[in-house]
Amino acid sequence: DEASPAPGKASAQLSNEDKDSTRGRLAAYLKEVVKGHSLSMLKTNGSKISKEAATISVTKDFSRVTINKAWDGSVTEFLVAGITDVYHVDGDGNSAFPTRVLSALTKQDLQNLVRIDLVTIDGTVQTIYLLEETSAARDTLLGCLRVLNTHATGAKKQSQ
């Protein structure tokens, strides 16, 4: 008889491997985002919604996010600490998204969609919708935003 591993030991190892893999993905993504990461952003014009090219970037100190909109050259800029909530269909359901957004996208696009509620640097409350290429890329974006926001809001609370 071979000794079997202690109960929970194999799953704990797997869990640590998963954590290491996730950390590696987040670190690689952050390096890319500092340089600028291409994705799509929903452009809303009245009732018309379209997917447009955009680039998201984060400052080297990970405190500020910039989204450059390819369709008109405008920029949305916000502090990571200004993110008030982040949503995706798989985790939050369709009710987290307006009907007009849901009806404008394909089922695949909905899987890759991220809603970000935020306060811009000039104090404007805004909701933006970003689309990644895959649901795995969406999960990485969500993970990065959540980690950065937790760090930024924690640092902000400590300095008060």
Side-chain angles (χ1 to χ4, degrees):
D1 263 338
E2 284 186 40
S4 18
K9 187 165 182 161
S11 62
Q13 265 184 338
L14 183 62
S15 175
N16 286 337
E17 288 172 14
D18 286 346
K19 286 179 186 176
D20 288 345
S21 172
T22 299
R23 282 188 198 112
R25 266 196 341 269
L26 293 178
Y29 188 84
L30 283 172
K31 284 180 185 175
E32 181 183 343
V33 171
V34 167
K35 296 175 188 170
H37 173 73
S38 295
L39 42 64
S40 296
M41 183 175 186
L42 292 190
K43 174 185 172 189
T44 55
N45 186 5
S47 62
K48 186 178 178 205
I49 295 175
S50 59
K51 270 189 340 184
E52 303 292 340
T55 304
I56 187 171
S57 58
V58 179
T59 55
K60 287 182 181 179
D61 66 356
F62 305 118
S63 66
R64 185 181 300 236
V65 177
T66 303
I67 299 173
N68 293 293
K69 301 168 195 164
W71 68 88
D72 66 3
S74 67
V75 172
T76 296
E77 201 170 30
F78 55 95
L79 296 175
V80 172
I83 298 171
T84 57
D85 219 334
V86 180
Y87 305 89
H88 65 95
V89 170
D90 284 347
D92 301 294
N94 289 350
S95 63
F97 295 86
T99 305
R100 66 189 186 106
V101 169
L102 296 171
S103 61
L105 298 175
T106 66
K107 187 173 182 169
Q108 185 59 53
D109 283 342
L110 289 174
Q111 294 303 307
N112 304 338
L113 181 65
V114 175
R115 171 184 161 184
I116 305 170
D117 292 345
L118 58 96
V119 178
T120 62
I121 289 173
D122 67 7
T124 306
V125 175
Q126 192 172 354
T127 296
I128 59 173
Y129 300 93
L130 301 177
L131 280 159
E132 276 290 4
E133 291 288 321
T134 65
S135 57
R138 176 213 61 205
D139 290 345
T140 303
L141 171 62
L142 286 165
C144 282
L145 292 173
R146 287 178 175 146
V147 166
L148 292 175
N149 181 261
T150 299
H151 176 74
T153 54
K156 193 169 129 183
K157 285 177 186 170
Q158 286 178 0
S159 68
Q160 289 177 348

